[in-house]
Amino acid sequence: MNLILLAPLGSIIALLYAAYLAYSVLKRDEGTEQMRKVAAAIREGANAYLKRQYTGVALFFIVMFIILLTLSFLNYLNPFVPFAFLTGGFFSGLSGFFGMKIATYANARTTNAAKSSLNSGLRVAFSSGAVMGFVVVGLGLFDLSAWFFILKWFFRNLDQAAQIQNITSSMLTFGMGASSMALFARVGGGIYTKAADVGADLVGKVEAGIPEDDPRNPAVIADNVGDNVGDVAGMGADLYESYVGSIVSTSALAVAAGLGLSGVTIPMTMAAVGILSSIIGTFFVRSGEKVDQKVLLSALRNGTYLSAILIAIISYFLVENVLGSKHIGVYFAILSGLIAGILIGFFTEYFTSDTYKPTKELSETALTGPATVIIGGLSLGMFSTVVPVIIVGIAIAASYYLAGGASSFNLGLYGVGISAVGMLSTLGITLATDAYGPVADNAGGIAEMTELDPEVRKRTDALDSLGNTTAATGKGFAIGSAALTALALIAAYRDEVELIAKKEGLNFSFNLTLVNPPVLIGLFIGGMLPFLFSSMTMKAVGRAAQKIVFEVRRQFREIKGLMEGTAKPDYAACVDICTRAAQKEMVAPALIAIVAPILVGIFLGVNGVAGMLAGATVTGFTLAVMMANSGGAWDNAKKYIEAGNYGGKGSESHKAAVVGDTVGDPFKDTSGPSLNILIKLLSMVSIVFATLILHISLM
């Protein structure tokens, strides 16, 4: 219990450090009056979008709260579940909101800092990203700690095993709330940002032949707003959900593993250790003035690797002290997750950065037109799934057996869960390197729109290109952890169903063999769901992008003097189109994760649900990796050409690369990153509604 007190303490330290970083960013000069005006327009659009999104999502949470409250009155759920669901969603949305706020205040400040040096620009952008990183881990750990101590007090009269069982069952619903909010934020923000980006690129770059972020492009403000609502607010809610999901699922597995309170102490305390290690790592992110991707990547890696090393050292003493030498294998399971996270990040970088062979070869395909760019990007993404799948497979096997899976199946599953916690323990700094990217992207747009010295744009472009790579790395990291967490959640689902059946005296036992028809049907349905979800989100981006294309063409055609620069475009029209489209289009895909487990449970029973979860995890993981890496490679291939290779800006090869990039946009920023939330939310919903399914299932 003394060690668990480190969790709330760590959360407070994280939030205080985030506040300090926010203060240090806001002290910076925002630049010229024109730069301030552009930043204010972006900020206004982002605030308006989030206000509308959160209003719509609040209705969903109210309806779900009423449903969960009704089920609790009928004794299908414990009374804390509806309230845990609400707080999970609230803090997930709040983390994204704070991240978006600092990002929209840091963009012009990054541009202004880049006037003096590349390192200054990097420090401002990275500090704003670190605000997001530490807000996410701080709020996540704060909410987890609060619920743990509230529930521990409420169930104080039960024996320890029953206490932990009731605590973890309630906290799993907290994860469902976080996952629901994350899915809406990721899908809605992803549709917004990519509709604006695709529309701006297709008409501005390809048809009109004007530069990216040219102030004459009516969609340029919407594009910059989209970077914040999708890649910052959406991503913050996403990784908040991953973070708490891994801790909650591992804590739930501690009961079946026979580790009790000690098993819960490890992931909670690991999170606090990760916060302190990540804070130390941020002080080692520095770069020189050489505009070279390897130098900049090395600057970010210094901090991330140092944090991982510190966690690896401290975790040994933590496990030794809490679990004793008998379970020292749990430490090596943590280590396997840490190493897997670093390796997935490195290989994602290899397949998406233009400093390596795959993206350079993809750039070369642009010489023969858009078709070969599309073919090359798809094949690169498909091939790139091989290494992450092998890494995750090795991590699962290693963590399972190292934790004691050979002698205890449940202890092995706990090892898999704790390896996901190990992978995400560096989230404070890992998310900082990811969230900094959209700020750098906005900074480049502001430099272009306010016609600053070309040297400033050169520096912001270098930071932006680095941001594309770190964003791809962050997505690979999130997807890899999602695979481990999803497996832990499936195991938690199995344990929860067996506990419910035993408690309620139901005559039930799992039959998860492949020859059992409900399991096989569930596998097929689960395998199909990520494709259905991706199809719906891709179509949503396409429909919204069409509206932007038509609007930008209309303005170029009807506003006299726009192309000559003597008239101003109507930026607000494009912002409004993206906002309306995103709000309308995000609902149907997000509801899949809520409705599918319940329908499968009713018609195929809990065995069918288990099959569905397994199928969705396998195809969702590989499809997400493929989409993220294809999209990242297409984006950086375009930037490699823009740097003066294969004809440079304005050439036919550049136009072909832009087409590839527009296809990749919804791949890497809408559908791909949303899949890791989908596969975990399916498990969360299945766990929450397990009692209901056991009573009303037709099989």
Side-chain angles (χ1 to χ4, degrees):
M1 281 301 297
N2 289 335
L3 277 174
I4 284 186
L5 290 172
L6 287 175
L9 179 63
S11 72
I12 292 167
I13 291 171
L15 293 173
L16 289 174
Y17 187 58
Y20 161 74
L21 289 173
Y23 174 73
S24 68
V25 169
L26 294 174
K27 279 199 310 182
R28 297 273 190 161
D29 186 7
E30 204 169 7
T32 65
E33 183 63 28
Q34 195 177 2
M35 290 166 65
R36 292 169 187 267
K37 284 182 178 178
V38 174
I42 295 169
R43 196 155 48 241
E44 184 182 346
N47 286 335
Y49 171 78
L50 279 194
K51 182 180 179 182
R52 191 178 293 186
Q53 182 184 64
Y54 288 169
T55 302
V57 172
L59 295 174
F60 165 79
F61 271 85
I62 290 169
V63 171
M64 283 300 300
F65 176 77
I66 293 169
I67 292 171
L68 294 174
L69 196 63
T70 303
L71 290 175
S72 70
F73 282 133
L74 296 172
N75 293 320
Y76 287 127
L77 299 171
N78 86 45
F80 289 103
V81 163
F83 301 97
F85 172 76
L86 278 188
T87 62
F90 174 76
F91 281 105
S92 177
L94 191 63
S95 63
F97 175 77
F98 280 136
M100 185 276 293
K101 291 294 283 186
I102 191 63
T104 55
Y105 278 102
N107 48 19
R109 289 173 168 84
T110 300
T111 310
N112 198 53
K115 288 181 180 178
S116 57
S117 71
L118 180 67
N119 186 55
S120 294
L122 174 65
R123 286 303 304 170
V124 175
F126 177 77
S127 294
S128 71
V131 173
M132 161 69 100
F134 288 103
V135 163
V136 165
V137 295
L139 289 177
L141 198 51
F142 174 80
D143 203 11
L144 281 169
S145 303
W147 272 110
F148 177 83
F149 287 109
I150 290 169
L151 293 167
K152 184 108 177 45
W153 176 84
F154 186 83
F155 295 114
R156 64 190 181 280
N157 294 325
L158 300 177
D159 63 81
Q160 191 179 91
Q163 273 186 32
I164 299 303
Q165 180 190 321
N166 281 281
I167 289 169
T168 53
S169 293
S170 301
M171 287 170 68
L172 280 167
T173 323
F174 157 83
M176 177 182 159
S179 296
S180 300
M181 182 67 235
L183 194 59
F184 279 111
R186 251 309 185 190
V187 172
I191 291 169
Y192 184 112
T193 183
K194 292 305 110 182
D197 199 356
V198 170
D201 281 357
L202 286 179
V203 185
K205 284 185 180 180
V206 178
E207 294 182 11
I210 59 177
E212 184 173 9
D213 300 313
D214 192 295
R216 293 171 291 177
N217 193 327
V220 71
I221 293 292
D223 187 9
N224 284 301
V225 169
D227 291 334
N228 294 289
V229 301
D231 298 338
V232 179
M235 179 181 58
D238 174 357
L239 286 168
Y240 176 96
E241 176 268 345
S242 297
Y243 185 68
V244 300
S246 65
I247 296 171
V248 166
S249 60
T250 305
S251 299
L253 290 172
V255 178
L259 298 176
L261 182 61
S262 297
V264 178
T265 301
I266 295 294
M268 296 278 280
T269 311
M270 276 282 302
V273 169
I275 285 170
L276 297 175
S277 301
S278 294
I279 288 173
I280 293 169
T282 60
F283 292 101
F284 290 83
V285 177
R286 293 283 190 279
S287 78
E289 291 309 307
K290 189 176 180 183
V291 185
D292 182 272
Q293 290 301 294
K294 286 187 177 179
V295 172
L296 291 170
L297 279 168
S298 177
L300 293 182
R301 279 192 197 134
N302 289 341
T304 306
Y305 289 174
L306 176 65
S307 299
I309 290 167
L310 289 172
I311 291 167
I313 294 169
I314 297 169
S315 296
Y316 175 82
F317 297 101
L318 174 65
V319 174
E320 175 76 22
N321 182 58
V322 176
L323 297 179
S325 301
K326 179 184 176 182
H327 294 297
I328 198 64
V330 170
Y331 165 71
F332 294 104
I334 293 169
L335 213 58
S336 72
L338 262 175
I339 294 168
I342 291 169
L343 288 175
I344 287 173
F346 172 77
F347 282 105
T348 303
E349 177 192 316
Y350 173 76
F351 282 107
T352 57
S353 173
D354 62 17
T355 58
Y356 297 102
K357 187 178 177 182
T359 299
K360 285 182 178 178
E361 288 183 343
L362 180 60
S363 303
E364 191 176 357
T365 64
L367 292 170
T368 50
T372 47
V373 172
I374 302 299
I375 293 168
L378 288 173
S379 64
L380 181 153
M382 291 175 185
F383 183 74
S384 73
T385 63
V386 175
V387 177
V389 166
I390 291 172
I391 291 171
V392 169
I394 292 172
I396 289 170
S399 57
Y400 179 85
Y401 287 107
L402 288 169
S407 58
S408 169
F409 177 71
N410 290 318
L411 197 57
L413 290 177
Y414 178 81
V416 174
I418 202 68
S419 71
V421 176
M423 187 182 286
L424 285 164
S425 58
T426 60
L427 186 62
I429 190 166
T430 305
L431 184 50
T433 64
D434 193 347
Y436 121 96
V439 176
D441 193 356
N442 267 205
I446 291 170
E448 181 80 40
M449 295 179 72
T450 54
E451 300 177 339
L452 296 182
D453 188 292
E455 182 62 26
V456 178
R457 181 68 203 228
K458 183 180 178 183
R459 288 168 180 165
T460 58
D461 276 352
L463 295 175
D464 183 21
S465 186
L466 174 65
N468 285 330
T469 302
T470 57
T473 303
K475 290 181 180 76
F477 182 81
I479 293 162
S481 66
L484 293 175
T485 304
L487 184 59
L489 283 168
I490 293 170
Y493 167 74
R494 184 210 64 172
D495 291 346
E496 190 73 10
V497 169
E498 289 180 343
L499 285 168
I500 292 166
K502 183 179 179 181
K503 180 181 176 182
E504 304 208 1
L506 300 174
N507 184 22
F508 168 80
S509 62
F510 272 111
N511 177 11
L512 299 179
T513 59
L514 287 177
V515 293
N516 184 17
V519 175
L520 191 57
I521 297 167
L523 276 170
F524 277 112
I525 292 172
M528 167 273 296
L529 284 175
F531 290 92
L532 173 63
F533 179 86
S534 298
S535 169
M536 294 174 76
T537 50
M538 293 276 286
K539 275 187 175 182
V541 171
R543 284 192 293 265
Q546 275 188 314
K547 294 175 182 177
I548 294 295
V549 167
F550 293 147
E551 175 61 20
V552 175
R553 283 174 179 168
R554 182 194 68 78
Q555 291 196 34
F556 278 144
R557 186 174 62 250
E558 296 179 6
I559 299 178
K560 304 299 181 186
L562 181 56
M563 286 300 292
E564 292 75 21
T566 57
K568 285 188 175 181
D570 182 3
Y571 298 126
C574 290
V575 170
D576 186 61
I577 288 170
C578 285
T579 302
R580 290 177 183 276
Q583 295 303 302
K584 179 184 175 183
E585 300 280 5
M586 74 177 183
V587 177
L591 287 178
I592 286 176
I594 308 293
V595 175
I598 297 172
L599 290 179
V600 170
I602 290 171
F603 290 103
L604 298 176
V606 290
N607 287 304
V609 172
M612 179 202 71
L613 298 179
T617 300
V618 171
T619 60
F621 171 59
T622 50
L623 187 60
V625 171
M626 176 258 172
M627 288 182 138
N629 288 349
S630 287
W634 272 318
D635 197 346
N636 278 333
K638 176 198 70 176
K639 283 185 165 54
Y640 187 69
I641 292 171
E642 288 175 343
N645 301 290
Y646 302 118
K649 285 186 179 181
S651 65
E652 289 303 312
S653 59
H654 179 229
K655 290 180 180 179
V658 169
V659 173
D661 181 35
T662 56
V663 174
D665 276 336
F667 266 48
K668 68 182 175 66
D669 291 324
T670 307
S671 302
S674 299
L675 286 171
N676 74 76
I677 309 171
L678 175 74
I679 61 178
K680 286 175 289 182
L681 183 53
L682 288 168
S683 297
M684 294 283 190
V685 173
S686 300
I687 291 168
V688 170
F689 288 94
T691 306
L692 179 67
I693 296 304
L694 278 168
H695 281 279
I696 68 171
S697 171
L698 300 177
M699 295 190 74

